[in-house]
Amino acid sequence: MRMLLCVLLRPASPGDEHDVAQVHVRSWQIAYRGLLPDEYLDATDPADRAARYTFADSGPDRPYTTVAVEEDRICGFATIGPCRDTDKSESASGELYAIYVHPDCWNIGMGRALIHEARRQLTDRGFTEAVLWLLVGNARAERFYQTDGWQPDGERRLEEVHGITVDEVRYVRSLG
């Protein structure tokens, strides 16, 4: 098993789009195998994903992405922002939109470092609660989030994500 050497957490910046997309796509291809259609996962293109990122605009109402860099390579990222759920308070609830680590870097502490930083960023923005949406059946992610203090709140939705319909359950966590 590989050990985490030295990870640098920093804000994503213009020019990081391709590397973040590579992490995003590869982690989906491994983590969601058996949960999403193989044809969809195999056809997922990092270039398409990279075109959707906007790392230049980091206003308080915009998504904010932190990248994890190890030996000059982006190995993971977390994106946070205001909660998009209409049943949650805009001023009190933030959201963890995404957190992904390249499969080569699983189980070495990179995800824990990213989620800790994401919670810190949400707290610094004045949020007292955080939410995230988890793909139903993703047992690995369930364990990860529950270990970090997240709990399902009973809300469930069908959501279109990058052109495919997914079944998701909402998790919440106090930031206090």
Side-chain angles (χ1 to χ4, degrees), residues 101-117:
V101 172
H102 193 283
D104 291 347
C105 299
W106 286 357
N107 299 317
I108 61 171
M110 196 167 292
R112 285 187 303 277
L114 281 165
I115 202 161
H116 176 79
E117 177 63 13

Side-chain angles (χ1 to χ4, degrees), residues 9-10 12 19-25 27-28 49 53 55 64-69 74-80 96-102 110-111 114-115 118:
L9 300 180
R10 65 165 175 79
D19 292 339
V20 169
Q22 289 283 96
V23 169
H24 202 167
V25 167
S27 61
W28 269 52
R49 194 67 49 93
Y53 301 137
F55 297 142
Y64 177 84
T65 299
T66 299
V67 294
V69 181
I74 292 177
C75 297
F77 71 95
T79 303
I80 58 104
L96 177 61
Y97 298 146
I99 182 170
Y100 292 101
V101 172
H102 193 283
M110 196 167 292
L114 281 165
I115 202 161

Side-chain angles (χ1 to χ4, degrees), residues 44-167:
T44 305
D45 182 5
D48 292 338
R49 194 67 49 93
R52 297 179 177 146
Y53 301 137
T54 54
F55 297 142
D57 184 5
S58 61
D61 62 336
R62 304 284 306 145
Y64 177 84
T65 299
T66 299
V67 294
V69 181
E70 184 183 48
E71 295 183 345
D72 297 324
R73 175 179 163 228
I74 292 177
C75 297
F77 71 95
T79 303
I80 58 104
C83 183
R84 300 169 288 189
D85 298 344
T86 57
D87 67 328
K88 293 290 185 179
S89 163
E90 271 185 41
S91 61
S93 298
E95 185 172 346
L96 177 61
Y97 298 146
I99 182 170
Y100 292 101
V101 172
H102 193 283
D104 291 347
C105 299
W106 286 357
N107 299 317
I108 61 171
M110 196 167 292
R112 285 187 303 277
L114 281 165
I115 202 161
H116 176 79
E117 177 63 13
R119 285 190 281 104
R120 188 185 71 75
Q121 288 290 335
L122 288 164
T123 301
D124 287 354
R125 289 166 196 248
F127 298 117
T128 57
E129 175 188 67
V131 304
L132 64 84
W133 287 92
L134 175 68
L135 183 64
V136 170
N138 189 346
R140 177 187 192 90
E142 285 178 39
R143 286 189 306 273
F144 174 77
Y145 294 127
Q146 288 176 354
T147 297
D148 191 59
W150 299 78
Q151 293 298 316
D153 73 350
E155 290 296 318
R156 200 161 170 168
R157 71 182 182 189
L158 291 177
E159 179 79 1
E160 176 128 346
V161 178
H162 302 294
I164 190 160
T165 302
V166 296
D167 186 10

